[in-house]
Amino acid sequence: MEGEQAPRTGTLDIEYRTGPGFKAPYKDHRVRIVINSNTSQHWTYNVMGYLNGEFEPDRYILIGNHRDAWGLGSVDPTSGTACLLELSRVFGKLKQEGWRPRRTIIFGSWGAEEFGLIGSVEYTEEFYMNLVERAVAYLNIDIAVAGSYVLRVSGSPHLANVALDSAKTVRDPSAAFDDKTTLYNTMNVRLTSPGNNSNKNSFREIPMVLGGSDYYGFVFGVGVPTISAFYSYNFYDHWRSFYPLYHTSYETFRLMDELIDPGFKTHQAVAQIFGEMLRRLGDEYILPIDVVAYADYIQRQFDDFKSLNISKEITNHGFSFDYLEGAITNFSIAASNFNDRLKHIDKERVLDVRKVNDQMALLDRAFLDREGLPRLNLQQRIQRHVLFAPTNEHPFPGLYTAMKIEDEELRWQSVDKQLSVLTFTIESAASTLLDVVSW
């Protein structure tokens, strides 16, 4: 081919170039590609399993994996499917032996994820009223194992401690470590940025999920907090947008059995950490949710937004962040006071425990805006969460998107509105953490 040298090359003894066109003697040649696609309708199904809670059967901990794949899918999603099936077997065996969780655990095998998250989103839409009142958390196992280097966790900031504390209980499967090394120990070493080795707690600030898996309907549609995790390769030394064989026909059983996870010990470790998270969320008397971590996350978002150039544009246009900053401060105070009350709660008063548990479980719902965030075109889905957006990693996605509107008059109208919506929503969310008779 003609053109510039390709930035990445293969191992064949040829020149890798980007085109356009061909070199002599193939200069006048053309490539004809024939694609035959059959458009048809097919049924797809969600397969659900329920382990009823003993004391709070109307509070749900959900865990799910999609079972459809592009091709054979030994990584995506079958590594996660294997873990989900093993978890359902183990929890079923515990039930047979007489144990039941405090809250109901719901296992979901989603259909048609690769076609647009169809199964899980339809589930959250059909059972919206049940979930918005009763769901505590959703754990997502899409890919479980894409490498053998380190566990990567993403999710809601107030569930980060659940994932990281659970990682302290599971032995790292790598033969490079001794029997006392846990997933948490490995994350502490391998997820600390090479340029930031002095800060061994930096990995505790787990990133929020975006919109590419079955947590979408739960987080962005219903306001249910989530955790997603998988074992990956070394991103620092071998950076790719994702694992190289993603969605290819090379995702075979042999790939997993001989190359990625011989002996399937990494699968076992992933299943164990999800099992521990399920146990903690499903059975602990007081939910292990950290509302102060949520307050810290919002403060970091504010600091990050203030460092952007568009923040200076907003203030130069006459807007002030004082009310927003005040709302964030009020949320932090409310979260801190809530934690103090939690430490001194009378555990004998069952309804008092139920009350604070509901306040923690329902917190994310308070950040959903009924009208939705601004859209740059009608093809974009309506997004309702004022802090997280599935296609926008920037802080305060509504305000950020408003600044991207081309029409100047509409842009500043939208900025005015989104600044008000953000301030109001955070202030309102703070009120949900106050004593239920004192707000």
Side-chain angles (χ1 to χ4, degrees), residues 34-266:
V34 178
I35 300 174
N36 296 304
S37 298
N38 295 319
T39 301
S40 58
Q41 290 185 340
H42 296 272
W43 286 97
T44 187
Y45 301 90
N46 295 327
V47 180
M48 311 302 296
Y50 297 83
L51 179 53
N52 293 334
E54 186 170 6
F55 302 108
E56 298 182 72
D58 61 336
R59 292 296 178 262
Y60 309 146
I61 313 299
L62 300 102
I63 182 169
N65 157 270
H66 73 91
R67 66 184 180 280
D68 63 308
W70 292 127
L72 299 174
S74 65
V75 177
D76 179 11
T78 310
S79 62
T81 305
C83 292
L84 182 68
L85 290 173
E86 178 65 3
L87 285 166
S88 63
R89 184 193 67 81
V90 168
F91 277 87
K93 188 171 186 294
L94 287 172
K95 180 179 180 294
Q96 290 175 348
E97 295 173 354
W99 176 86
R100 281 170 63 190
R102 181 178 188 85
R103 303 172 187 90
T104 294
I105 296 176
I106 300 176
F107 299 86
S109 176
W110 312 120
E113 187 263 6
E114 300 290 6
F115 289 89
L117 313 178
I118 292 173
S120 57
V121 169
E122 289 292 331
Y123 181 83
T124 58
E125 290 176 349
E126 181 176 357
F127 300 109
Y128 176 83
M129 295 308 299
N130 302 63
L131 297 171
V132 78
E133 293 288 342
R134 304 170 190 168
V136 173
Y138 172 68
L139 305 181
N140 191 66
I141 315 181
D142 187 327
I143 295 167
V145 179
S148 58
Y149 183 70
V150 71
L151 184 76
R152 290 185 175 271
V153 180
S154 56
S156 305
H158 50 324
L159 291 185
N161 63 305
V162 178
L164 298 175
D165 289 345
S166 297
K168 296 175 182 177
T169 69
V170 179
R171 189 181 73 84
D172 189 284
S174 173
F177 299 104
D178 59 38
D179 289 345
K180 296 181 180 179
T181 302
T182 65
L183 298 181
Y184 181 89
N185 298 140
T186 309
M187 293 166 71
N188 198 22
V189 173
R190 292 180 170 177
L191 285 184
T192 303
S193 170
N196 189 29
N197 285 330
S198 61
N199 182 4
K200 293 298 181 183
N201 289 319
S202 62
F203 77 95
R204 292 191 66 89
E205 300 173 4
I206 67 172
M208 185 55 193
V209 295
L210 295 175
S213 192
D214 288 302
Y215 42 65
Y216 176 90
F218 292 93
V219 176
F220 303 108
V222 186
V224 177
T226 190
I227 285 290
S228 186
F230 72 102
Y231 234 87
S232 78
Y233 56 91
N234 185 349
F235 276 27
Y236 293 125
D237 291 347
H238 307 285
W239 170 246
R240 299 288 187 274
S241 60
F242 209 15
Y243 65 94
L245 302 182
Y246 179 56
H247 282 184
T248 70
S249 297
Y250 295 103
E251 282 196 35
T252 62
F253 180 79
R254 178 173 175 266
L255 170 72
M256 188 63 70
D257 183 38
E258 297 183 14
L259 300 177
I260 295 179
D261 190 22
F264 295 91
K265 294 180 179 179
T266 307

